[in-house]
């Protein structure tokens, strides 16, 4: 049971094609889709065979040089250590080191078979995310960052254990170590002060710069302090009874007592104790000076009900951007008091209500999912009777056989070697056949000229990828590398403002939001520049490993980039791919090996550009039924401005129309009053009426839920809505008659932004 | 309410400014200074407040900050505001301010208060006016000399350690935040007067440093200790297999006269950014363990992004510092609703998988022990004279503790058990017999020196096991004798 329960953070095998090895992924998120399916958002790990051999051999070759360098450096360092005092720099850790090559001594102790199998255990982390259906999960595995204390051999003895040490960037085709660096030099280290011998120490006549606010060295016992605290609360309750504004807010004694028991009173009590030198009687007297009993109120109590309403409305509109909330809604409050209030507001019932709504949303994010064992007949089961031996272990007997490799070669694996192939992506023994297999099955440097970049990412992907259909989880098309870099640079230099992508131009208040937007909506890849030469104008913080925050969650991450070569391939191998069939069956797999063989054997067919058919403009087709020549009927033509209806300016309005307007106002006011009984008589702040005016009334219509909180008493307040001249102007100029009518009828339903009145409601 | 159960009372100074909770990093930012205020209110309502000296720290001056940071960087922090950010575009990139480390209202004041508390704590410890100083607003361990990083702008830890170094020859820094304490490690990477020990998640994780192989450079070689961990480590493994054995060894080998403990609470289970599976008990056990060494201790905050758990944790660790036990039932306070639905102090671990196999942890620990064995037993300059202050406080403490004798035995028993474990390990992995015995000889030869001024240290030989703990233990015995 537990074995089939998959949780966020688990490393799992995914089957995306029956003939290829599983893909190794880490579950980052489990999402329940509206139709009840579960999707897994996963982080991709690549196998050695998934990465071009050029890159692997480059890293390997590079490594041997580094090895030599390090050895000699280590010697130097040991010598340097003897001669102490000199500052020596530690061996420079090269970004690209491959553990398999790194430990030749260890490897020497392994048999050739083990060395061969070890290569199947090495993975490369990528920061690429994709979304896969959870039903394609085929079991758990374990992926760990290789640690030098571990022997590589230990991985061979564990099933489903993999290691990684390098990060692969599939877009840039680079490998690098994900490793920060401690820098050495006067620019980085602290200057350590000399130690002062006790005899040389000055008797520290320093003035105490920190303020003592409480000291435990007093004669009072716990009980006395507790009693004193009770008295402070009582005084506070009495003070609220005397205070007019409090008695309005807290109509019951119970509420006053609750308000007087908040932490502000208690902190004050401790302060008083300290200031009166822990003399209880003095402290008591200072609680009730001649001016009246001391009243301590925190922000929660200080704020009026109308301010609370304004705050909630602002929060709904602006989110937790307290600077903007202050500027546009509560300019008479300090930012500190708004933040203070916010955190207290979160303890109220109103917030709890909102949280429940959020909790329902969160239900779609699952913590775990149960996937039963996969027992379906695998399509790779070979029915061919053949005398061929297992390609991996050369056995001739097996209960079941699985066809493996390109179809025309009719290779097959036994029932033991097949799961090995699926899990580890290789054959158990280094054979000639595997060399063939790797030419056929994995991307090689040479192959790259024929079936380039796209192939490595396309292999193992469903047919949809090759055909270019949107996959069931359409990803965001990635930007080209150049465009990506340009965008990253732009982001680096700009602070906020509109998105610079063509056809977008969305405005953002904060750069972080803008970056997030670009990543999710435009497929911006922040990691690209890290892989390339570090770009000096890139702020470090744009990269993942430089931020403690998790990487931006993208909606989906497997995408298709159709290169010209892929396009050509589609055309040339039409018979094998059967694009129409594949389009209808996006998940059926395409036999890449055969395709490759086809590409290698047949001469290249130059692409014959197809003649473009003139099908007319799509707009014309859709709007005019493909007959743009038909003259527009008169009713489709816009009314010329001079024929537009103009309201007759009423210099001396009729009494009747005035009455009508008054009645309308009264009706609106009555409705609003009924809906929000406690909107206070505080006038609407001036800037509110400029920046965003509710269509006919103030929008906040949330009913109060019975709330014990003393500050949220249900006091009906008088209120009125004053139409200022600017509002009147808007009504006259920016609103259509229809809109005004609609607003008048449903005064509380609509709100609109003064600046963009046309967008309302 | 808090009840005194534990024997050893210690003087605790606690630094807090009532304004700290009102600084706001910005919408959606996981760092919330409000967690310090939640902690403070819990501390009040648990009755811990009345057992400590409470200080409102001074605002650290530019001069204080530039004891480590570059002038230009601090000047920049002082000048930048949300409304003049555009004028500082170039500098913002240079100093890595803007994204994770945003410009917010009162940024500089926030740094001043956080730093002020930590430095004030260090001064207090230097004056021997307290045993433990606590500043939950500090512990911002990622800040670099001229660069903000990982929500940290001014490295209050480095500044506090620099203060301690005036009076202490060797300062030990311990970091139990889930992230590597890179800022502190970098600042003291080439000195042997500060040893930095960090336990952290390593591998595809911020800040990317903290490899087992990063051990310091130059004179500081072997004085940086990094324990890389994987996801999901639990209380038992973290404290018993990782923290205690390593710290026992470090205390024995390095013998610091002051300890700075960064208690980042993002290593707790369920943290918004973390990936460990610790509860308050495991986290707090580390604090408790370090407290028992009776070395001046500066206890700082740090990361922690599930704020209800952060305030639980730091409240609990304040109680640990005081040596009092507090009820699991949370007292009513202004933020009580945050702690629903259970309203309990302690949290439960999750069912996440622990990816740290016992073998993995063993191997790392062994490797670190090997590195620690490279330390010279009497760290060069430091042993010339004995710091008077350390001995004086220890004596005072020993007197304090006399009333609670039974408890001390308890402590000793624990330490002995650990030393056995340690010795076993040492036997198992030591390269040669000679090396091992030579080290022990070294220990003995330098011990009496340290006790020169500590009255009649006759019984250093009888408790060879107790040597795993710092000399304070023996000095206590001395004082009694
Ligand atoms: Zn076989
Ligand atoms: Zn955009
Ligand atoms: Zn952290």
């Amino acid at each position: 049971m537990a074995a089939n329960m998959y949780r966020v953070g688990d490393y799992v095998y995914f089957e995306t094609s029956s003939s290829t090895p599983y893909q190794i992924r880490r579950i980052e998120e489990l999402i329940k889709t509206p139709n009840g399916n579960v999707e897994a958002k996963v982080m991709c790990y690549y196998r050695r065979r998934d990465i071009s051999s050029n890159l692997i051999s480059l890293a390997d070759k590079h490594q041997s040089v580094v090895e030599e360098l390090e050895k000699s450096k280590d010697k130097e360092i040991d010598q340097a250590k003897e001669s102490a005092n000199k500052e020596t720099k530690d061996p420079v850790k090269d970004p690209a080191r491959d553990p398999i090559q790194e430990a030749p001594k260890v490897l020497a102790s392994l048999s050739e078979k083990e060395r061969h199998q070890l290569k199947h255990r090495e993975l490369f982390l990528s920061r690429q995310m994709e979304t896969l259906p959870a039903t394609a999960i085929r079991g758990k595995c374990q992926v760990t960052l290789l640690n030098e204390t571990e022997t590589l051999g230990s991985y061979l003895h564990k099933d489903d254990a993999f290691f990684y040490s390098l990060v692969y960037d599939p877009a840039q085709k680079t490998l690098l170590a994900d490793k920060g660096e401690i820098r050495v030099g006067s620019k980085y280290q602290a200057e350590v002060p000399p130690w002062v011998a006790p005899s040389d120490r000055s008797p520290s006549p320093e003035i105490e710069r920190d303020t003592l606010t409480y000291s435990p060295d007093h004669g009072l016992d716990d009980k006395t302090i507790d009693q004193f605290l009770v008295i402070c609360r009582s005084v506070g309750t009495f003070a609220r009874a005397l205070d007019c504004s409090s008695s309005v807010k807290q109509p019951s004694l119970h509420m006053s007592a609750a308000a007087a028991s908040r932490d502000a009173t208690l902190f004050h009590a401790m302060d008083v104790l300290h200031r009166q030198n822990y003399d209880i009687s003095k402290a008591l007297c200072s609680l009730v000076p001649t001016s009246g009993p001391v009243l301590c109120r925190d922000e929660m109590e200080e704020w009026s009900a109308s301010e609370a309403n304004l705050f909630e409305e602002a929060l709904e509109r602006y989110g937790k951007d307290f600077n903007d909330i202050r500027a546009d809604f509560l300019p008479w409050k300090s930012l500190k008091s708004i933040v203070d209030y916010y955190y207290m507001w979160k303890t109220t019932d109103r917030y709890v209500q909102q949280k429940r709504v959020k909790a329902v949303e969160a239900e779609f994010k699952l913590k775990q999912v149960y996937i039963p064992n996969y027992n379906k007949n695998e399509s790779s089961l070979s029915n061919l009777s053949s005398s061929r031996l297992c390609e991996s272990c050369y056995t001739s007997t097996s209960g079941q056989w699985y066809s493996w490799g390109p179809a025309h070669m009719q290779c097959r694996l036994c029932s033991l070697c097949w799961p090995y192939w699926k899990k580890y992506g290789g054959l158990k023994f280094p054979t000639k056949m595997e060399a063939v297999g790797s030419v056929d099955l994995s991307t090689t440097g040479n192959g790259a000229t024929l079936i380039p970049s796209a192939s490595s990412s396309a292999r193992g992907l469903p047919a949809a990828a090759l055909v270019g259909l949107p996959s069931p989880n359409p990803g965001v098309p990635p930007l080209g590398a150049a465009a990506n870099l340009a965008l990253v640079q732009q982001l680096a230099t700009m602070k906020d403002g509109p998105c610079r992508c063509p056809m977008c131009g969305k405005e953002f208040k904060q750069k972080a939001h803008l970056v997030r937007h670009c990543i999710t909506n435009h497929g911006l890849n922040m990691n690209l520049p890290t892989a390339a030469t570090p770009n000096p104008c890139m702020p470090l913080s744009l990269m993942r490993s430089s931020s403690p925050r998790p990487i931006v969650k993208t909606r989906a991450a497997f995408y298709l980039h159709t290169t010209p070569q892929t396009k050509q391939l589609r055309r040339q191998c039409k018979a094998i791919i059967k694009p129409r069939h594949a389009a209808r069956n996006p998940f059926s797999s395409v036999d890449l090996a055969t395709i490759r063989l086809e590409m290698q054997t047949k001469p290249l067919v130059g692409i014959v550009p197809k003649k473009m058919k003139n099908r007319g403009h799509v707009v014309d087709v859709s709007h005019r039924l493909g007959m743009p020549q038909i003259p527009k009927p008169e009713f489709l033509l816009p009314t010329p401005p001079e024929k537009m209806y103009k309201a007759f300016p009423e210099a001396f309005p009729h009494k009747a129309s005035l009455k009508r307007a008054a009645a309308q106002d009264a009706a609106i006011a009555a409705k609003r009053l009924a809906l929000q009984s406690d909107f206070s008589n505080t006038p609407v702040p001036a800037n509110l009426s400029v920046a965003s005016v509710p269509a006919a009334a103030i929008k906040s219509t949330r009913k109060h839920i019975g709330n014990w909180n003393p500050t949220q008493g249900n006091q009906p307040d008088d209120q009125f809505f004053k139409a200022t001249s600017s509002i009147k102007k808007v009504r006259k100029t920016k609103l259509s008659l229809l809109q005004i009518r609609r607003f008048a009828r449903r005064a509380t339903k609509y709100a609109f932004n003064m600046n963009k009145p046309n967008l309302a409601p | 309410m808090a009840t005194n159960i534990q024997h050893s009372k210690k003087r605790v100074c606690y630094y807090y400014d009532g304004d700290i909770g009102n600084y706001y990093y910005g919408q959606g930012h996981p760092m919330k200074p409000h967690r310090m205020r939640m902690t403070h209110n819990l501390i009040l309502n648990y009755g811990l407040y009345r057992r400590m000296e409470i200080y409102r720290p001074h605002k650290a001056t530019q001069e204080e900050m530039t004891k480590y940071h570059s002038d230009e960087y601090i000047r920049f922090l002082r000048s930048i505001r949300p409304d003049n950010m555009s004028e500082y575009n170039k500098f913002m990139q240079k100093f890595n301010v803007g994204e994770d480390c945003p410009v917010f209202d009162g940024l500089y004041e926030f740094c001043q208060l956080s730093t002020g508390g930590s430095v004030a704590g260090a001064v207090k410890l230097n004056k021997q006016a307290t045993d433990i100083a606590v500043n939950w607003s500090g512990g911002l361990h990622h800040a670099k000399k001229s660069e903000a990083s990982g929500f940290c702008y001014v490295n209050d830890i480095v500044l506090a350690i620099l203060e301690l170094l005036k009076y202490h020859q060797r300062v030990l820094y311990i970091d139990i935040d889930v992230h590597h304490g890179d800022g502190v490690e970098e600042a003291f990477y080439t000195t042997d007067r500060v040893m930095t020990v960090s336990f952290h998640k390593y591998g595809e994780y911020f800040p990317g440093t903290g490899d087992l192989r990063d051990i310091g450079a130059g004179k500081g070689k072997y004085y940086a200790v990094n324990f890389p961990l994987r996801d999901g480590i639990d209380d038992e493994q973290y404290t018993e297999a990782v923290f205690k054995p390593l710290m026992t060894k470090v205390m024995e080998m390095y013998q610091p006269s002051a300890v700075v403990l960064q208690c980042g609470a993002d290593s707790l289970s369920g943290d918004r950014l973390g990936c460990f599976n610790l509860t308050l008990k495991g986290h707090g056990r580390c604090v408790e363990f370090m407290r028992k060494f009776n070395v001046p201790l500066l206890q700082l905050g740090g990361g922690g992004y599930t704020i209800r758990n952060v305030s639980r944790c730091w409240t609990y660790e304040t109680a640990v510092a005081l040596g009092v036990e507090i009820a699991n039932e949370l007292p009513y306070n202004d933020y009580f609703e945050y702690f629903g639905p259970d309203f309990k102090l302690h949290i439960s671990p999750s069912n996440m998988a622990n990816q740290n196999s016992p073998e993995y942890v063993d191997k790392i620990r062994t490797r670190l022990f090997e590195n620690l064995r490279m330390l010279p037993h009497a760290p060069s300059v430091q042993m010339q004279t004995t710091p008077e202050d350390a001995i004086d406080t220890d004596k005072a403490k020993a007197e304090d503790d006399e009333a609670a004798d039974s408890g001390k035995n308890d402590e000793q028993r624990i330490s002995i058990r650990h030393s056995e474990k340690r010795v076993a390990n040492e036997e198992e992995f030591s390269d040669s017999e000679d090396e091992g015995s030579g080290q022990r000889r070294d220990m003995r030869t330098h011990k009496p020196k340290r006790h020169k001024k500590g009255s009649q240290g006759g019984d250093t030989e009888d408790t060879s096991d107790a040597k795993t703990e710092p000399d304070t233990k023996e000095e206590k015995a001395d004082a009694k004798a």
Side-chain angles (χ1 to χ4, degrees), chain A residues 548, chain B residues 141-142 150-151 175 177-180 205-206 262 264-267 271 273 302-305:
Chain B
H141 60 166
H142 295 306
F151 320 154
D175 189 314
D177 193 283
V178 73
H179 300 102
H180 177 231
Y205 206 65
F206 183 83
Q262 197 263 19
D266 44 11
S267 41
D271 186 81
L273 301 186
Y305 307 98

Side-chain angles (χ1 to χ4, degrees), chain B residues 68-69 140-144 153-160 183-184:
Chain B
Y68 172 51
H69 294 286
L140 304 177
H141 60 166
H142 295 306
K144 307 293 186 326
Y153 305 84
V154 173
N155 202 316
D156 62 292
I157 310 173
V158 171
L159 293 166
V184 186

Side-chain angles (χ1 to χ4, degrees), chain A residues 7 145 148 178 180 183 186 189-190 193 196 209-211 213-214 222 226 263 323 343 546-547, chain B residues 41 50-51 54 56 58 64 93 100 105 145 166 186-187 193 204 206 208 213 230 334 338 351 367:
Chain A
R7 292 193 291 250
L145 174 67
E148 56 155 2
D178 177 46
R183 302 158 297 184
S186 59
Q189 270 73 50
V196 185
R209 288 186 301 167
D210 313 295
T211 324
T213 57
Y214 191 84
D222 269 355
D226 289 338
D263 292 346
N323 263 315
Y343 283 112
S546 70
S547 166
Chain B
N41 286 29
R50 59 182 78 165
R51 285 155 210 272
I54 313 276
R56 190 166 54 244
H58 69 283
E64 280 179 281
Q93 283 179 37
D100 280 330
D105 277 280
K145 197 167 188 170
K166 289 183 191 163
E186 186 166 283
R193 290 195 56 203
E204 184 58 11
F206 183 83
R213 290 169 290 193
R230 293 170 177 165
D334 280 354
Y338 283 60
N351 61 353
R367 180 64 69 87

